[in-house]
Amino acid sequence: MPLFQTIQFNENTKILIWEITESFEELYSRVTLKEKTQRRLDGMKSQMHQRAFLSVRMLIQEMGFTDKDLHYDEFGKPYFDCDNHISITHSYHFAAIIISKEKVGIDMELQREKIQRIADKFTDYECDYLEPNFTEEYIKKLTVIWGAKEAIFKIRNEKGISFKDHINVDNFSLDKTQTQASLHFDDLVKDFDVHYQEVKSDNFEGTFTLVYAFEK
């Protein structure tokens, strides 16, 4: 399937989402990989992971880049050899990237009931406004919070950051699409704008939450 959705957030930022319906062979035939990337692909045991990996290459091609332009630092954070920042996510049959002149992070998660069982591992500050009533709304809110913290972690990418202890997501409404968050880690204090929305496919069951964050 071609590109699922393009979101032109502003003149400096674009989000692209790919719905992974192609076979491994079809995706592989449409990309050109450098040797290092090929070795990484060959080492993946899951074909779903391989397909997601290749879908990301399809997305950067949509933006006029190639696999040769994409690199990873020592902590696994992707970057280009230019002034564009990139962040990557994939979840089940979706892959997405965000490319911006600003420092950005992105995450995409399937809304699942099981997130309630691990809520205490990544929420603390948020407990002041969360109501653990085991409803659909509670699951949706937890998914936004997790996605926001994941996106912020991808921006900073520093060893030792705890979702629970160091990243705080302000209260928000599911009727809106934006909230604020902050990172307090050692002597570092950073604020972030967080945006969120739902993504659904006609081809698969389930609702996904897309979250992306900008460092202020």
Side-chain angles (χ1 to χ4, degrees):
M1 183 174 178
L3 193 61
F4 179 78
Q5 187 177 5
T6 299
I7 302 167
Q8 185 72 53
F9 181 79
N10 57 33
E11 62 180 6
N12 295 319
T13 307
K14 184 177 283 190
I15 299 122
L16 287 80
I17 304 172
W18 192 275
E19 186 174 9
I20 310 167
T21 58
E22 303 88 348
S23 66
F24 170 85
E25 290 75 17
E26 184 178 355
L27 288 167
Y28 187 70
S29 70
R30 296 169 65 185
V31 299
T32 301
L33 304 178
K34 60 189 178 217
E35 184 179 345
K36 185 176 182 179
T37 305
Q38 182 66 58
R39 289 198 303 268
R40 186 176 174 189
L41 178 68
D42 293 341
M44 295 177 184
K45 297 180 180 180
S46 164
Q47 190 175 100
M48 187 65 231
H49 193 188
Q50 289 179 318
R51 290 164 66 207
F53 187 77
L54 293 172
S55 296
V56 169
R57 272 70 200 162
M58 295 294 296
L59 288 170
I60 64 172
Q61 286 181 180
E62 290 281 342
M63 288 293 293
F65 296 94
T66 70
D67 180 61
K68 291 183 179 180
D69 301 312
L70 184 64
H71 310 283
Y72 294 84
D73 68 15
E74 60 182 311
F75 302 109
K77 183 177 181 178
Y79 67 93
F80 290 129
D81 287 326
C82 61
D83 59 353
N84 284 296
H85 297 275
I86 180 172
S87 185
I88 294 168
T89 186
H90 46 79
S91 181
Y92 293 89
H93 47 269
F94 280 115
I97 64 171
I98 185 168
I99 295 179
S100 179
K101 302 291 186 184
E102 305 174 60
K103 292 182 179 179
V104 290
I106 192 170
D107 189 56
M108 197 169 187
E109 300 288 342
L110 176 64
Q111 295 173 9
R112 296 183 292 173
E113 290 185 3
K114 67 177 293 185
I115 197 171
Q116 299 170 104
R117 299 199 296 271
I118 61 169
D120 63 333
K121 298 185 183 302
F122 67 92
T123 60
D124 184 21
Y125 170 88
E126 298 79 18
C127 294
D128 288 343
Y129 62 80
L130 280 173
E131 296 181 10
N133 49 15
F134 307 103
T135 63
E136 184 178 357
E137 179 181 0
Y138 181 52
I139 294 169
K140 289 176 182 287
K141 282 202 164 189
L142 286 175
T143 309
V144 170
I145 292 167
W146 175 269
K149 296 191 177 194
E150 185 71 47
I152 290 167
F153 180 81
K154 288 179 179 180
I155 295 173
R156 298 308 310 182
N157 205 41
E158 297 180 42
K159 185 177 180 180
I161 292 177
S162 162
F163 283 18
K164 180 174 182 174
D165 299 328
H166 301 137
I167 305 175
N168 299 333
V169 179
D170 289 353
N171 195 5
F172 61 96
S173 169
L174 293 172
D175 295 330
K176 307 292 184 181
T177 60
Q178 183 177 358
T179 187
Q180 307 294 311
S182 58
L183 170 69
H184 303 260
F185 181 60
D186 291 338
D187 296 328
L188 178 70
V189 178
K190 289 288 184 179
D191 294 319
F192 302 84
D193 287 323
V194 176
H195 302 264
Y196 50 92
Q197 65 186 72
E198 291 189 344
V199 177
K200 297 182 180 181
S201 167
D202 292 334
N203 297 314
F204 300 96
E205 293 184 1
T207 301
F208 290 76
T209 298
L210 176 71
V211 186
Y212 43 102
F214 297 84
E215 182 177 312
K216 292 185 178 180

